Amino acid sequence: MAPRMNRGGNAIGPSGSCQCNKALAQYANRRISADLARRGFLIGMGASMLSAVLPEFGKAQQPGAAAPAQPTTFTNFRLFDGKSGALQDGMYLVVDGNRISQLHRGAPDFSSGAAGAAAGRVIDCGGRVMMPGLIDMHWHALLAALPVATILQSDFSFVYLAAGAEAQRTLLRGFTTVRDVGGPAFALKQAIDAGMLSGPRIYPSGAMITTTGGHGDFRLLTDVPRTSAQISEIERTGAAAIADTADEVRLRVREQFMQGATQIKLVGCGGVSTPRSPLDMLTFTEAQLRAAVETASDWGTYVLVHAYTPESVKRSVGAGVPCIEHGHLMDDRTAEVMAKNGTWLSTQPFTSEEDVAPMAPSSHERFLEVTAGTDNMYKLARKHGLKVAFGTDLIFSQTLATRQGTMLGHIARWYSSADALRMATGINGQLLALAGKRNPYPHKLGVLEEGAYADLLIVAGDPLQDLSLLANPDQNLLMVMKDGRVFKDALKA
């Protein structure tokens, strides 16, 4: 008879007790064969157990990264710091550990040790542009590289393996940080932070919290009606969580925080990819949205809401939501309300069918409706001075995922190249900081200044003049450094 399995995918004995063995070999074997999609706190518990056996586990070197044993001094570069609108010349920058220790004008004085790098590595950038690592505020780490049919039908362990490979590619495209806005990315984040995989910093939201029939409810009709004790497969993977009352919202929000969420994502209206959720539908009531906002505030962080339509955006703003995701169908009055309340607009520059993976006809129609609203949305954002963040929302295609830099180039239709770069670096970093007490990376991101994390790129060419350079990272990104570690160095060549 096959052994009974618990919800974590581990065998349990007749009494229900876990048949754990603390021996390292058995632990590793169990972790490899386990369902990686289960809750992040289980994986965190496993990592803690392994740390007790191997104290150096949490200090593992990231694959392909040069360990910063000594300070590194960069010279002869043109600086885009993520804040100003022009390049600065005649600077030198010192990385010590995982942060920027010095950024000054002039030349470093190695003889006196003033640069702090007399015995460290010195990198001559050859007059090229140095800029902060890019930040994608709307990323789905587990959905980016695989078709939706594969994700829904495969063992979720395969989905995790594909996500790990895509994380490395994401980093080499110059995106050193992402905000994951839906999916069980906790284990992937932990593996990257521990140095087991290379990839960007991840701010995980955990499961998208939606209502019955809302965007993200991919249940089969055979799963309806739902009972209080019933958990669908999509919920079991941690990709979505269904809540239909204010109390259920509070519960689902707390579950995501229990697993390590840095912020919470709720669904406020219909979506493109979910088969039975028209864009104009509304999901949570204002009171239910406010329940999530209050619970997130209790945890010291914030809520973002998926909302395309004026009605869904205004309902979210009325509930105190500080960040609207998408907003493509907003009208002038909606933008005015957002500006009055200081609400962030985190959105994506969808311009054509090249920005989306193949989809069903009904979803395709909805995507065209969203795309048709993009131009008006950005014009309204500029008119009302909204705080605008940049993200891509590229899902269900490994080929499509490579267009992160191309999507950034689309922003030049409404903003200057300098404004677009600020949006994808320093401005996005400001939005990340709303995570407050749940922020796992407390130092500054998206800027190059003393004390900030050492996430930087060396670019062949001037992206302030030509944003399309970032659409070809293989050729134009000569160095990628994240957390003070070099993951790509083509300067030598």
Side-chain angles (χ1 to χ4, degrees):
M1 183 176 67
R4 293 195 301 119
M5 309 296 287
N6 66 14
R7 289 177 60 189
N10 298 316
I12 58 175
S15 65
S17 61
C18 177
Q19 305 301 305
C20 296
N21 189 316
K22 293 185 179 180
L24 179 59
Q26 293 191 24
Y27 174 86
N29 181 67
R30 186 173 70 252
R31 289 303 300 130
I32 291 171
S33 61
D35 179 356
L36 296 178
R38 289 311 305 142
R39 303 300 189 209
F41 69 84
L42 291 177
I43 294 162
M45 182 183 299
S48 299
M49 292 170 61
L50 186 55
S51 295
V53 179
L54 292 177
E56 295 301 308
F57 170 70
K59 302 177 183 178
Q61 299 300 318
Q62 298 207 19
Q70 296 176 315
T72 300
T73 299
F74 291 87
T75 64
N76 190 20
F77 57 83
R78 308 185 69 198
L79 177 70
F80 170 69
D81 62 5
K83 300 176 290 185
S84 61
L87 298 178
Q88 304 174 57
D89 296 310
M91 312 284 288
Y92 72 89
L93 180 147
V94 180
V95 171
D96 196 352
N98 69 343
R99 294 164 63 189
I100 298 170
S101 63
Q102 298 184 50
L103 179 58
H104 298 298
R105 291 196 175 277
D109 182 1
F110 297 117
S111 61
S112 66
R121 183 185 181 191
V122 179
I123 297 177
D124 185 329
C125 298
R128 298 177 179 89
V129 171
M130 174 188 288
M131 62 175 287
L134 296 166
I135 301 170
D136 192 329
M137 294 301 288
H138 194 115
W139 193 244
H140 295 274
L142 272 69
L143 307 182
L146 296 173
V148 62
T150 302
I151 293 172
L152 293 175
Q153 297 172 15
S154 297
D155 185 303
F156 225 76
S157 299
F158 174 72
V159 177
Y160 256 87
L161 292 170
E166 184 58 43
Q168 181 176 12
R169 294 190 289 266
T170 302
L171 178 60
L172 293 180
R173 289 193 290 267
F175 286 84
T176 53
T177 302
V178 298
R179 185 180 64 170
D180 191 284
V181 289
F186 302 115
L188 181 61
K189 175 191 183 300
Q190 184 181 11
I192 292 172
D193 287 349
M196 298 167 64
L197 298 172
S198 62
R201 303 173 190 274
I202 297 178
Y203 280 73
S205 302
M208 288 193 302
I209 302 175
T210 187
T211 60
T212 295
H215 177 56
D217 184 356
F218 283 95
R219 291 177 300 164
L220 300 174
L221 292 180
T222 52
D223 290 331
V224 178
R226 172 191 180 220
T227 66
S228 59
Q230 182 180 3
I231 299 177
S232 64
E233 186 61 29
I234 193 71
E235 292 177 279
R236 185 170 285 107
T237 65
I242 297 172
D244 288 306
T245 68
D247 284 343
E248 283 189 322
V249 168
R250 294 185 183 95
L251 172 62
R252 300 309 177 206
V253 168
R254 289 167 182 153
E255 286 175 343
Q256 306 319 305
F257 285 135
M258 184 178 179
Q259 297 171 79
T262 53
Q263 65 284 319
I264 297 296
K265 179 182 180 180
L266 267 68
V267 172
C269 70
V272 170
S273 58
T274 307
R276 293 179 289 272
S277 64
L279 290 177
D280 61 354
M281 70 167 289
L282 294 172
T283 54
F284 295 107
T285 66
E286 185 172 320
Q288 291 166 347
L289 291 168
R290 189 175 295 110
V293 171
E294 291 171 353
T295 305
S297 179
D298 289 344
W299 280 76
T301 183
Y302 71 103
V303 166
L304 59 109
V305 172
H306 160 111
Y308 285 110
T309 62
E311 296 79 10
S312 60
V313 172
K314 285 184 284 191
R315 180 177 289 186
S316 299
V317 173
V321 171
C323 180
I324 297 298
E325 208 64 34
H326 304 309
H328 291 77
L329 304 180
M330 69 167 62
D331 56 20
D332 189 83
R333 175 56 182 160
T334 305
E336 182 181 2
V337 170
M338 290 180 66
K340 181 179 179 180
N341 286 272
T343 308
W344 281 85
L345 173 64
S346 174
T347 191
Q348 307 78 43
F350 293 128
T351 60
S352 73
E353 295 182 60
E354 293 183 345
D355 298 330
V356 67
M359 55 180 60
S362 60
S363 293
H364 184 252
E365 291 178 6
R366 279 175 266 164
F367 177 77
L368 293 179
E369 184 178 353
V370 168
T371 304
T374 299
D375 181 68
N376 183 59
M377 174 195 66
Y378 277 113
K379 287 177 178 177
L380 289 175
R382 293 197 62 180
K383 173 184 175 181
H384 292 279
L386 298 185
K387 297 181 290 186
V388 181
F390 164 77
T392 62
D393 198 13
L394 299 174
I395 54 176
F396 304 144
S397 168
Q398 182 178 327
T399 300
L400 192 67
T402 65
R403 290 174 57 85
Q404 279 180 292
T406 300
M407 293 287 283
L408 178 57
H410 291 347
I411 299 292
R413 303 186 184 196
W414 304 279
Y415 297 86
S416 70
S417 293
D419 286 340
L421 287 177
R422 277 197 296 259
M423 197 180 293
T425 55
I427 292 175
N428 276 1
Q430 293 173 27
L431 178 51
L432 289 175
L434 288 188
K437 295 178 181 179
R438 301 283 74 79
N439 190 346
Y441 312 110
H443 304 295
K444 284 192 176 182
L445 289 165
V447 295
L448 298 180
E449 64 179 48
E450 292 183 358
Y453 284 112
D455 296 358
L456 60 86
L457 312 174
I458 304 297
V459 185
D462 182 357
L464 272 72
Q465 299 298 321
D466 184 7
L467 269 180
S468 68
L469 292 169
L470 299 176
N472 189 357
D474 290 345
Q475 178 179 331
N476 298 321
L477 290 187
L478 302 182
M479 178 172 285
V480 176
M481 172 180 277
K482 175 209 156 193
D483 210 34
R485 301 183 183 277
V486 176
F487 289 84
K488 177 182 179 180
D489 186 358
L491 284 173
K492 298 176 183 178

